[in-house]
Amino acid sequence: MAQVDRTRERLIETYRKKAKHYDVTSRLYPAPGYPQRAQRLQAVRALGLRPGDTVVDMACGTGLNFRLLEGVVGPGGRIVGVDLTDAMLARAQDRIETNGWSNVSLVQADAAGFDFPAGVNAILSTYAMTQVPECAEVIAHGAKALSGGGRWAVLDLKVPGHTPRWIAQLGTAIVRPFAAIDEWTMRRPWEAIRAAMEEELADFSWTELFFGTAFLAAGSRGGGKK
């Protein structure tokens, strides 16, 4: 089995096991007190959404971003949640039904193979894209699907640079359940994401968060980008 396939199977197995209690355990992710919700809100704000917009939530998991997105696009907007794991999407569907959201749809698909709808206003990925071996290709594919001025935002984890040793250990420990840590560290997917977004998007911005254990990258389609 190819490395990409092994990684994909590992992710499916891991998230199937975690799906049932994910909404609870995610509050402790990646460590108790970590400002995850504040970071998610910052990522949503980076999209510059307006009422009526269409947004794709890539690797949406159980739909933890849906309420934040719904609060901006409103009932006249559209949210498309995409995830690889059936068990996570089942929990996302429960969330949709509980809240009575009629404008949220779900698609089970690998990020690398997802066929983005044309003309979407925004694409969001939170705490997931660095686990996708083809992350740069996903960024490029999504950028081409954006409408003029549409925005991509990626919030994810990374290994800190020049920081205290305990912070660096935190940055690696948080992804250990989801990936072969040595491979993830050596691959440095956040660098591939940054390079792809700089190449494909205009108005690119990169912000390191919480002592460099996370980053928020964002940009828009425009400025001659194709």
Side-chain angles (χ1 to χ4, degrees):
M1 183 183 293
Q3 179 63 40
V4 169
D5 293 329
R6 286 195 295 269
T7 299
R8 187 174 292 113
E9 289 301 317
R10 181 170 59 246
L11 287 172
I12 292 173
E13 180 181 359
T14 298
Y15 281 108
R16 276 178 175 165
K17 292 178 180 178
K18 290 178 175 291
K20 184 176 181 180
H21 304 291
Y22 187 80
D23 286 359
V24 175
T25 58
S26 67
R27 296 172 187 171
L28 306 175
Y29 177 83
Y34 197 85
Q36 181 199 129
R37 190 180 186 283
Q39 291 181 359
R40 289 180 185 270
L41 181 58
Q42 189 173 348
V44 170
R45 288 173 175 166
L47 294 173
L49 292 168
R50 296 172 296 182
D53 278 352
T54 295
V55 55
V56 173
D57 187 353
M58 180 57 65
C60 66
T62 63
L64 290 173
N65 293 326
F66 290 171
R67 183 174 296 280
L68 297 176
L69 294 170
E70 180 75 20
V72 184
V73 303
R78 180 187 176 203
I79 300 168
V80 181
V82 182
D83 202 88
L84 177 64
T85 308
D86 50 0
M88 297 293 274
L89 287 175
R91 303 295 293 178
Q93 184 62 42
D94 289 343
R95 174 173 268 108
I96 292 169
E97 293 174 2
T98 297
N99 288 278
W101 294 323
S102 61
N103 60 337
V104 185
S105 58
L106 302 176
V107 179
Q108 184 176 358
D110 182 7
F114 177 64
D115 187 14
F116 285 89
V120 298
N121 302 108
I123 305 170
L124 173 68
S125 177
T126 58
Y127 307 116
M129 191 58 61
T130 60
Q131 303 301 323
V132 179
E134 312 94 333
C135 55
E137 289 83 352
V138 175
I139 295 296
H141 188 36
K144 291 178 174 59
L146 287 169
S147 61
R151 293 184 62 78
W152 234 124
V154 176
L155 167 65
D156 218 316
L157 304 169
K158 61 181 286 293
V159 175
H162 303 292
T163 53
R165 181 177 176 80
W166 73 270
I167 292 291
Q169 290 175 334
L170 172 63
T172 54
I174 52 185
V175 300
R176 194 175 300 280
F178 307 97
I181 189 64
D182 291 337
E183 182 272 335
W184 185 82
T185 302
M186 291 178 61
R187 185 164 57 91
R188 302 180 71 81
W190 53 92
E191 294 182 354
I193 292 169
R194 179 170 186 164
M197 294 185 79
E198 284 184 306
E199 173 67 23
E200 301 291 340
L201 300 167
D203 305 319
F204 174 75
S205 65
W206 174 276
T207 305
E208 297 208 358
L209 306 171
F210 204 72
F211 306 103
T213 60
F215 68 89
L216 173 59
S220 61
R221 182 174 180 179
K225 300 291 182 180
K226 301 296 183 182

